[in-house]
Amino acid sequence: MNSKQEHRLRISSGLVIAFFLVLHLLNAGLGIISLSAMNVMGNALAAFWSIPVMQLLLYTAFIVHIGLMFVALYRRRSLRLPGWNLTQIGMALALPILLFAHVAGTRGTYEFLDIYRNYTVVVSGLWNNPSGVVRQYLLLTLAWTHMCIGIHFWLRHKPDYSRWKSILYPLCLVIPLLAALGFLRAGVESRQLPADTPAIIEFRQAISSADPDRIQLLMQTEKGLLWLFAVLLIAVLLMRALRNHRDRKRGGFFVTHTPSSRQLPARQGQTVLETLREAGIPHTAICGGRGRCTTCRVRIIDVDQSLPEPEELERRALQRVRAAPNVRLACQLKPQRDITITPLLQADVSAPAARVSVGVMGHEQKVACMFVDLRGSTRLAEQKLPYDVVFILNQFFIQLDEALRATGGHYATFNGDGLMALYGLDGDLANGCRKALAGAVQIQSRMVQLSEWLADELEEPLRVGIGIHCGDAIVGTMGPPDAPTVSALGDNINITARLEALTKEFECGLIVSEQALRQAGHFHPTWPRHTVHVRGRGKPLDIIIIDDLRLLQEVSLTPPAVGQ
């Protein structure tokens, strides 16, 4: 079984268990209303999980999840792990001990003795035994925390996770709180039940008349499961010790860590990440070293053909961030001889850095670029109160944002009274240039409308200068880790900024490079054409000056010229 299949099994089985746990805790939360409400939903859930398919699915999920825990524990060459990882492993080892007793007392009585215990009987039995109450709250806390940690670190590196935090985080607090309060309220109610409560009497009579051999078998099964778990745990630890001893005898290699200039001893079969952790060197691995993110990536300085090829899980992760050939995941790379590495991310980097492209921290791509700048913003600030200026600028940027959305543009950077936008990020440069021209039309049209709407606030209509150019650029995720954005760098980006600045000199609304117009298929020889020397560029550049809105609309609406 490869890493990808193991990951899918762990996630799938974990989600089945999480679904069961959420329903179970919501049922417990009904205790806030009454024991009767708990019984109604409890009976429905018992019927649902008694369906053969669902029963098989649930039992299989538990067996697979516990089995994969032992597999993961064996595979780890080092137990020097982040605190959250150790906490999760500790809870995973403690949960079965609490769970076996709980299952034996509930589902076990039904399977072995054919006696169904509703919530009235279960809650009464637990609250008549103080240790039972403590175990129940401990089981709730460990199971829910283990589940939340697993889901959090599964989703943490995914782009959409930040949008769901405002929903998931409150649920993580509310659901167990409701369950704890519901169990407490139901416990208080159970202590007030009369001794002749039918459900309790029926259960006691059923237990007293049950086959003693079956009761003994149930107790032995519970103890047997605990012993089996203990034996498996001891076996895994012994196997790890024997494997590590064998690896030390086989010899090892050294990992040279360039930031610290240290040579770190490592054993065969050990990953680079495990080597760094054993040496106490901090290294980012947001997913815990499971190949589910790329934050642990390192650059191999002395690339050697003897390096093992990346498996599918690592290969797909590296492709996702367009990694260079000499970039590998530290959590997956198991060298066989000495190597030198350089981490590509800081040790305290946050989750969004998992999606930053690597190699030269970006990739080369042909894009269409647009710079937009509001004319007279300084004069506007002198004439208006600060709050009024903020209001006008906010309306200005709302119109820019809507224009970009309407034409498929991507907001890249913001500079106070203007912005940079990118088009053609999907790889279609010609279409990107056409959309950039359409974006210029949208912006100019919206400036006319906004000026009419704010006529009483403005001494003169709002005017913008727009520069459009296209060509090769380095595109990548840039900015602070907590708020990165896709942007671009390079000579052609600088040229676009120069074209926008030239709109002041030519007193026009738009300057487009002839190169961009030809790419869009909209070049017309009759349009005002100039050749300029742009600062930072050795060769002169042919540009088209456009300041007529009707001409702008013609640029946007005219079909591309054949052969252009």
Side-chain angles (χ1 to χ4, degrees):
M1 181 172 59
N2 59 38
S3 300
K4 185 178 180 181
Q5 291 172 332
E6 182 181 329
H7 169 63
R8 287 178 175 175
L9 279 176
R10 180 178 287 107
I11 294 299
S12 300
S13 59
L15 289 176
V16 172
I17 297 171
F19 179 60
F20 172 82
L21 180 60
V22 169
L23 292 180
H24 205 58
L25 295 192
L26 289 176
N27 194 173
L30 290 178
I32 295 176
I33 301 174
S34 68
L35 272 170
S36 298
M38 293 178 72
N39 285 326
V40 171
M41 185 175 177
N43 292 336
L45 290 179
F48 173 73
W49 291 112
S50 295
I51 299 173
V53 174
M54 300 308 299
Q55 195 172 36
L56 177 63
L57 179 64
L58 182 61
Y59 289 169
T60 302
F62 273 105
I63 294 172
V64 168
H65 211 65
I66 293 174
L68 290 176
M69 176 194 68
F70 286 121
V71 171
L73 183 60
Y74 172 76
R75 284 186 175 175
R76 291 189 182 278
R77 301 280 170 157
S78 171
L79 293 180
R80 294 195 64 168
L81 302 169
W84 70 266
N85 215 321
L86 288 174
T87 301
Q88 193 178 29
I89 292 175
M91 289 188 294
L93 294 174
L95 277 171
I97 300 173
L98 298 170
L99 190 61
F100 291 153
H102 178 69
V103 173
T106 53
R107 191 70 187 182
T109 58
Y110 178 76
E111 298 291 348
F112 284 80
L113 308 177
D114 198 24
I115 300 174
Y116 174 67
R117 298 178 66 180
N118 63 15
Y119 270 84
T120 298
V121 176
V122 172
V123 173
S124 298
L126 288 172
W127 278 91
N128 284 325
N129 180 6
S131 63
V133 175
V134 174
R135 286 199 304 271
Q136 197 68 12
Y137 274 115
L138 184 59
L139 178 59
L140 183 156
T141 302
L142 293 183
W144 187 258
T145 305
H146 179 75
M147 183 201 76
C148 289
I149 290 176
I151 291 178
H152 172 69
F153 283 95
W154 168 45
L155 297 176
R156 187 180 179 188
H157 67 283
K158 296 185 180 297
D160 294 334
Y161 182 47
S162 58
R163 293 190 298 178
W164 289 94
K165 283 183 179 179
S166 59
I167 298 175
L168 293 177
Y169 280 18
L171 288 177
C172 285
L173 296 175
V174 170
I175 291 177
L177 181 60
L178 287 177
L181 293 176
F183 182 58
L184 175 62
R185 167 65 179 76
V188 172
E189 183 180 346
S190 71
R191 300 296 295 270
Q192 298 172 351
L193 291 175
D196 59 349
T197 300
I200 297 177
I201 292 177
E202 290 176 8
F203 175 74
R204 289 174 179 170
Q205 291 175 346
I207 288 292
S208 62
S209 61
D211 185 352
D213 293 336
R214 302 291 293 178
I215 295 177
Q216 186 66 23
L217 179 61
L218 174 59
M219 296 174 63
Q220 290 176 349
T221 301
E222 178 189 346
K223 292 180 180 179
L225 289 173
L226 287 171
W227 275 109
L228 176 62
F229 182 79
V231 168
L232 287 174
L233 178 58
I234 293 172
V236 168
L237 294 177
L238 285 175
M239 291 170 64
R240 289 186 78 258
L242 290 173
R243 181 199 59 204
N244 291 343
H245 176 70
R246 180 197 62 197
D247 290 343
R248 280 192 292 269
K249 291 185 65 176
R250 289 168 54 191
F253 55 91
F254 286 95
V255 174
T256 302
H257 185 253
T258 55
S260 63
S261 300
R262 291 175 59 185
Q263 279 195 330
L264 313 175
R267 302 183 299 274
Q268 294 294 327
Q270 191 172 21
T271 67
V272 171
L273 180 61
E274 289 169 332
T275 303
L276 294 171
R277 284 175 171 173
E278 280 194 348
I281 294 179
H283 191 83
T284 299
I286 287 175
C287 70
R290 298 170 183 168
R292 303 208 302 251
C293 70
T294 61
T295 54
C296 70
R297 58 185 179 264
V298 295
R299 178 179 288 112
I300 312 300
I301 303 302
D302 48 349
V303 179
D304 194 322
Q305 296 298 325
S306 65
L307 281 180
E309 291 294 323
E311 295 185 2
E312 183 180 3
L313 183 67
E314 181 184 8
R315 180 177 56 79
R316 290 170 64 90
L318 293 172
Q319 285 178 346
R320 193 167 61 243
V321 294
R322 298 185 176 93
N326 63 334
V327 172
R328 298 292 296 270
L329 298 187
C331 70
Q332 301 297 309
L333 176 60
K334 299 177 181 179
Q336 298 173 346
R337 59 179 60 186
D338 296 353
I339 62 169
T340 301
I341 64 165
T342 298
L344 291 180
L345 298 180
Q346 296 178 356
D348 59 350
V349 74
S350 58
R355 300 184 292 276
V356 179
S357 298
V358 294
V360 288
M361 301 310 290
H363 61 279
E364 190 171 351
Q365 180 181 343
K366 294 183 181 297
V367 294
C369 180
M370 171 195 291
F371 272 82
V372 184
D373 182 69
L374 178 64
R375 296 289 177 253
S377 58
T378 303
R379 186 167 60 256
L380 182 67
E382 294 172 350
Q383 297 171 348
K384 297 288 183 180
L385 293 174
Y387 281 111
D388 295 330
V389 175
V390 170
F391 171 76
I392 294 172
L393 288 178
N394 280 336
Q395 299 306 313
F396 169 67
F397 279 107
I398 287 173
Q399 297 304 317
L400 292 187
D401 178 69
E402 292 180 353
L404 294 183
R405 289 176 183 272
T407 55
H410 169 75
Y411 156 77
T413 58
F414 160 78
N415 62 3
D417 57 358
L419 57 77
M420 180 181 88
L422 299 174
Y423 287 84
L425 291 176
D426 58 356
D428 189 344
L429 180 61
N431 191 45
C433 290
R434 287 192 289 271
K435 288 185 175 181
L437 295 173
V441 173
Q442 282 268 350
I443 292 171
Q444 295 287 14
S445 299
R446 289 174 180 274
M447 288 304 102
V448 173
Q449 297 171 5
L450 182 61
S451 296
E452 292 176 354
W453 180 50
L454 298 175
D456 293 339
E457 302 292 329
L458 302 171
E459 294 188 2
E460 59 183 24
L462 295 175
R463 297 180 65 249
V464 295
I466 303 174
I468 297 177
H469 183 50
C470 68
D472 292 321
I474 301 300
V475 179
T477 307
M478 306 173 193
D482 292 333
T485 183
V486 174
S487 190
L489 299 171
D491 291 339
N492 288 312
I493 304 301
N494 297 334
I495 289 171
T496 311
R498 304 285 185 264
L499 296 186
E500 178 272 311
L502 284 174
T503 59
K504 300 177 183 178
E505 180 180 329
F506 286 92
E507 298 183 350
C508 62
L510 171 65
I511 292 181
V512 188
S513 68
E514 182 179 323
Q515 180 179 335
L517 281 172
R518 289 188 180 277
Q519 279 288 341
H522 289 308
F523 177 69
H524 294 271
T526 58
W527 288 354
R529 179 182 179 186
H530 297 265
T531 299
V532 296
H533 290 274
V534 179
R535 183 161 53 91
R537 175 184 169 95
K539 297 181 180 179
L541 180 69
D542 293 329
I543 62 172
I544 307 300
I545 296 176
I546 303 175
D547 198 29
D548 187 341
L549 187 60
R550 290 170 298 178
L551 190 57
L552 281 174
Q553 292 171 336
E554 181 183 351
V555 167
S556 176
L557 299 177
T558 302
V562 177
Q564 294 291 341

